[in-house]
Amino acid sequence: EVQLVESGGGLVQPGGSLRLSCAASGFSLNNYAMCWVRQAPGKGLEWVSVISGAGGNTYYADSVKGRFTISRDNSKNTLYLQMNSLRADDTAVYYCAKGTTVTSESDYWGQGTLVTVSS
Amino acid sequence: DIQMTQSPSSLSASVRDRVTITCRASQDIRNSLAWYQQKPGKGPKLLVYGASRLESGVPSRFSGSGSGTDYTLTISSLQPDDFATYYCQQSYIIPLTFGQGTKVEIK
């Protein structure tokens, strides 16, 4: 059974950093594209970043480019999102999701982890 | 970026009603369109991909159609479990963009 479990969210001050993790089970991360999608409180879904399967190519939304870094550790079957220079508008629930390629729908999603950026 | 315009933003319907949600892309997305259902406090659930392909395990009352820039999600007979928010997403080009969502509420 495919499972995705996010962790690492919390309260952080503006300008601070946080690293989110997404532990995957039931499949091998390196065979699939994985993405992060966020949802601000009471708002819709916003695609954040994706990492390809085999090659590890990465892509970012303009709103996070240069501040966030997506990566994975195949030995731990875990996806990461390193978030630096956090701003109030980064406050959201962050979901990891499994796809097939970098331009594909996501067939499995985690339950999300809340990031709150506030002083 | 491709803009996805979803309508309506909310609707009220009764059990057994037929419900239709539309999504319009700002350019041709060649059927690279998915529909998701989201319930409060949960991650989205994939319903339809490739505009009209039903994800495994999704009830057949859900269907997707459309082409080019215009797409539709139809629920043929609304059930109590279907009250939720629905999102479309284009997967034609990065950044993958979502519609703003349609909240389906009980009338």
Side-chain angles (χ1 to χ4, degrees):
Chain A
E1 179 191 7
V2 171
Q3 280 199 314
L4 298 169
V5 180
E6 302 96 335
S7 61
L11 175 64
V12 60
Q13 292 189 337
S17 297
L18 213 55
R19 188 178 81 157
L20 306 183
S21 300
C22 170
S25 58
F27 70 102
S28 294
L29 266 189
N30 61 336
N31 290 332
Y32 296 91
M34 295 293 297
C35 70
W36 289 96
V37 172
R38 67 185 181 183
Q39 186 169 36
K43 302 297 184 182
L45 301 169
E46 179 188 14
W47 179 88
V48 172
S49 181
V50 67
I51 185 167
S52 66
N57 296 319
T58 59
Y59 303 88
Y60 300 92
D62 285 347
S63 58
V64 307
K65 199 172 295 183
R67 301 187 298 123
F68 289 13
T69 302
I70 190 171
S71 64
R72 65 171 185 248
D73 184 333
N74 292 335
S75 67
K76 296 182 178 179
N77 219 33
T78 299
L79 176 73
Y80 300 102
L81 186 67
Q82 177 67 43
M83 305 185 296
N84 299 330
S85 303
L86 283 161
R87 313 186 302 222
D89 63 357
D90 294 318
T91 294
V93 173
Y94 285 73
Y95 297 99
C96 66
K98 168 187 167 289
T100 305
T101 68
V102 294
T103 51
S104 75
E105 65 284 342
S106 295
D107 56 0
Y108 288 93
W109 296 65
Q111 84 291 347
T113 186
L114 175 63
V115 173
T116 304
V117 184
S118 174
S119 54
Chain B
D1 298 1
I2 296 177
Q3 308 303 314
M4 304 299 292
T5 304
Q6 195 173 331
S7 62
S9 56
S10 66
L11 65 91
S12 295
S14 301
V15 172
R16 291 183 295 279
D17 279 354
R18 182 181 182 90
V19 169
T20 299
I21 300 168
T22 63
C23 193
R24 173 167 287 177
S26 58
Q27 66 182 74
D28 187 348
I29 56 171
R30 308 287 180 98
N31 290 352
S32 298
L33 191 284
W35 291 97
Y36 300 92
Q37 176 192 68
Q38 187 181 32
K39 295 183 178 180
K42 302 287 189 181
K45 174 187 174 183
L46 177 65
L47 300 175
V48 171
Y49 63 98
S52 60
R53 301 180 180 185
L54 201 65
E55 174 70 352
S56 176
V58 173
S60 59
R61 62 181 179 273
F62 290 93
S63 64
S65 63
S67 62
T69 61
D70 296 321
Y71 299 87
T72 299
L73 175 70
T74 299
I75 309 172
S76 60
S77 177
L78 198 67
Q79 298 301 302
D81 190 49
D82 301 338
F83 292 96
T85 301
Y86 294 84
Y87 293 93
C88 62
Q89 181 199 34
Q90 65 82 16
S91 58
Y92 182 63
I93 194 168
I94 289 172
L96 307 190
T97 44
F98 292 89
Q100 72 272 33
T102 297
K103 187 173 184 179
V104 177
E105 298 174 303
I106 301 172
K107 182 182 283 184

